[in-house]
């Protein structure tokens, strides 16, 4: 039996997920007529392996093949850059995405949330907020992921009051508040030594909404300060 296109696709995805890019490239080259889906799988492989230059070169190769990268492909590269903390390179790539004339290559919600998350991890509240302002201008939804990232920016910047303000805005917008959102808010509070306030927030929640992770955030804060007795209490 000879392998068909679906066989090559499955193997390509498997190699890409494993980050074995040499094998993924060899499998890609065996696909008779590769499409955008195959290209995105190979790009994921480059991203997983941290081979960002190879990913950029492959985007150029796609265009020569007559396969113009869409926002899915571009977001894979943008996300890989952001996760490696390459802030300026990520911004430059975002600008490149903005310059694209094709609608299918324009930044989308994933693009902007990736940027917010990148700035948040650096504690850069100003730039994170600027990205959210751009999202609003583009009529993109500001949801749970965005609000949580903004609160994380406040946690990293030691700005608990701002985190509480964002939390209130999140609640007022009707956005679903899950345990992850609460964890980020608690993190912002305990990092600024507002453990009592964090404890009150957890205590105010119905029992079914409280999670082990919430208590862990507070306990870790006490442990970091050597207050072991508080952890046991």
């Amino acid at each position: 039996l000879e392998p068909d296109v679906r066989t090559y696709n499955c193997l390509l995805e498997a190699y890409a997920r494993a980050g074995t890019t040499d094998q993924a490239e060899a499998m890609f080259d065996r696909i008779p007529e590769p499409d955008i889906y195959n290209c995105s799988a190979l790009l994921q492989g480059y991203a997983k392996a941290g081979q960002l230059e190879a990913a950029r070169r492959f985007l150029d190769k796609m265009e020569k093949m007559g396969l113009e990268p869409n926002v899915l492909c571009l977001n894979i590269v943008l996300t890989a850059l952001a996760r490696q903390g390459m802030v300026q390179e990520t911004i430059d790539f975002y600008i490149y995405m903005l310059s694209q004339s094709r609608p299918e290559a324009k930044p989308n919600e994933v693009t902007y949330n990736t940027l917010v998350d990148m700035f948040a991890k650096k504690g850069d509240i100003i730039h994170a907020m600027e990205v959210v302002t751009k999202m609003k201008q583009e009529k993109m939804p500001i949801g749970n992921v965005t609000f949580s990232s903004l609160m994380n920016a406040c946690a990293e910047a030691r700005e608990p009051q701002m985190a509480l303000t964002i939390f209130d805005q999140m609640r007022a917008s009707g956005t679903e508040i899950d345990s992850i959102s609460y964890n980020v808010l608690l993190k912002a509070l305990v990092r600024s030594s507002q453990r009592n306030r964090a404890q009150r927030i957890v205590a105010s929640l119905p029992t079914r909404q409280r999670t082990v992770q919430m208590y862990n955030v507070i306990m870790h804060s006490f442990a970091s300060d050597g207050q072991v007795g508080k952890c046991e209490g």
Side-chain angles (χ1 to χ4, degrees), residues 46-87:
Y46 288 132
K48 187 174 182 64
Q51 297 177 9
L52 303 185
E53 282 303 314
R56 293 293 298 267
R57 289 195 300 271
F58 185 71
L59 291 177
D60 294 335
K61 180 179 178 179
M62 284 178 65
E63 294 185 1
K64 293 175 182 176
M65 293 167 60
L67 293 169
E68 295 181 316
N70 60 12
V71 70
L72 171 62
C73 294
L74 298 175
N75 276 340
I76 290 170
V77 178
L78 181 90
T79 301
L81 290 167
R83 284 178 177 169
Q84 292 208 11
M86 303 170 70
V87 176

Side-chain angles (χ1 to χ4, degrees), residues 116 127-137 142 146 150:
V116 174
H127 283 105
M129 289 288 196
E130 286 179 355
V131 175
V132 174
T133 298
K134 178 67 173 177
M135 291 177 73
K136 292 176 180 177
Q137 291 172 350
I142 310 299
T146 312
L150 286 176

Side-chain angles (χ1 to χ4, degrees), residues 152-199:
N152 191 46
C154 297
E156 295 297 331
R158 305 296 196 274
E159 291 286 353
Q161 192 55 51
M162 189 173 292
L164 286 165
T165 298
I166 291 169
F167 182 80
D168 288 341
Q169 291 173 351
M170 183 180 185
R171 185 158 46 193
S173 72
T175 302
E176 179 185 0
I177 302 174
D178 59 15
S179 60
I180 295 175
S181 304
Y182 275 109
N183 288 343
V184 177
L185 175 61
L186 296 174
K187 172 183 167 185
L189 293 173
V190 300
R191 282 196 170 188
S192 296
S193 301
Q194 295 195 24
R195 300 187 187 95
N196 290 338
R197 193 164 196 173
Q199 288 175 305

Side-chain angles (χ1 to χ4, degrees), residues 1 8 16 35 65 93 100-101 127-128 177 180 193 204 208:
L1 294 176
Y8 291 132
D35 56 19
M65 293 167 60
F93 194 80
Q100 299 299 297
S101 58
H127 283 105
I177 302 174
I180 295 175
S193 301
S204 71
R208 67 179 183 279

